[in-house]
Amino acid sequence: KSPQMTKICTGWDFGNLHIFGGFGGSGKTSMSFNKVIMSCIENKEKLLIIANEQSIEEFKKMLLVTAMGTGTKKSVKRQRLNEGNFTEEEKKKLTDAIQWVKDLCEGEYALIKFIFMENYVIKDVKKVIKHYANRGYKSVMIDTGKPSDDDGSRHNEQRHARFADDFKELYKITRANGGGLNLRMWVNVQLTDTALT
């Protein structure tokens, strides 16, 4: 449902790594929900989400908001979710949306798997990706891509060099040949304020 974006990047195809950059608070995660996650849900394609900043609860809350408009077609204003004291009608809408999210995200054969990584170390990220790729999760979203936390082996490496090396590793595991797993990967990246100059 994004013809211009599809034209620019020729779709979200397998064997490729897509990086979506934006400044803090610019809506990277929200946009990814509307475009990437909802596309996987609508097409019944398994999706692995690796999060390292927002909690799983926050992701599920965002999915709940999305579900209200897309999954169950019964919306509640976003502000109302924060206010509470719901009417009976709103409670019913929320209950239906919660069930929709549970059906998608829980159980062994869930369509969406959320993995939260407190310590974002690329070798651990690759292990998680391989584990789930072997279980049919060929679409991967990482929110947010960043340089690996120091695992002791790369402490002398500059942050930007570590960042570039990490993305090389993500591409290697994503590509269709050369030992890759033929995945499609979407990585949100936060740009620094210095990128404005």
Side-chain angles (χ1 to χ4, degrees):
K1 296 182 178 154
S2 300
Q4 291 174 335
M5 188 172 179
T6 299
K7 188 173 181 179
I8 290 168
C9 61
T10 62
W12 189 35
D13 51 346
F14 289 94
N16 286 294
L17 168 67
H18 295 262
I19 301 170
F20 182 64
F23 299 102
S26 63
K28 294 180 300 297
T29 304
S30 295
M31 199 286 289
S32 300
F33 258 86
N34 286 323
K35 304 305 175 193
V36 175
I37 296 174
M38 291 313 298
S39 176
C40 286
I41 291 170
E42 288 171 11
N43 293 290
K44 304 282 189 282
E45 296 172 343
K46 286 184 169 184
L47 172 66
L48 169 65
I49 299 175
I50 299 174
N52 58 51
E53 291 187 355
Q54 291 188 331
S55 68
I56 300 306
E57 289 71 29
E58 284 297 313
F59 265 98
K60 286 187 177 179
K61 185 178 178 184
M62 288 182 76
L63 187 55
L64 179 65
V65 171
T66 306
M68 304 280 302
T70 307
T72 61
K73 309 289 189 219
K74 302 170 188 172
S75 64
V76 170
K77 289 187 178 176
R78 199 175 208 164
Q79 183 63 31
R80 289 289 297 128
L81 289 176
N82 296 326
E83 292 170 357
N85 297 321
F86 303 113
T87 66
E88 288 305 314
E89 182 186 357
E90 288 172 331
K91 284 180 186 175
K92 172 72 170 113
K93 289 177 181 179
L94 285 167
T95 302
D96 291 347
I98 288 167
Q99 188 58 52
W100 187 79
V101 171
K102 281 183 178 178
D103 291 344
L104 287 172
C105 303
E106 294 182 7
E108 187 179 346
Y109 303 105
L111 193 64
I112 299 175
K113 283 288 185 189
F114 288 99
I115 303 296
F116 182 76
M117 300 189 77
E118 184 73 40
N119 297 314
Y120 184 85
V121 178
I122 198 65
K123 66 177 182 165
D124 296 335
V125 172
K126 287 171 61 179
K127 282 181 191 174
V128 169
I129 292 169
K130 285 178 184 176
H131 175 84
Y132 283 100
N134 289 329
R135 285 152 183 81
Y137 291 85
K138 298 292 187 178
S139 300
V140 180
M141 184 178 124
I142 299 176
D143 188 68
T144 299
K146 59 182 185 176
S148 284
D149 292 330
D150 187 6
D151 64 353
S153 64
R154 301 166 68 188
H155 63 276
N156 290 329
E157 195 173 12
Q158 296 246 345
R159 186 173 163 80
H160 67 274
R162 208 164 53 219
F163 193 56
D165 288 346
D166 287 351
F167 271 93
K168 287 176 189 171
E169 291 300 310
L170 289 176
Y171 173 68
K172 285 179 188 175
I173 200 171
T174 301
R175 66 188 176 192
N177 50 32
L181 300 174
N182 195 27
L183 308 174
R184 58 182 182 181
M185 192 175 299
W186 180 278
V187 185
N188 288 330
V189 174
Q190 184 165 327
L191 304 177
T192 63
D193 292 339
T194 57
L196 287 167
T197 58

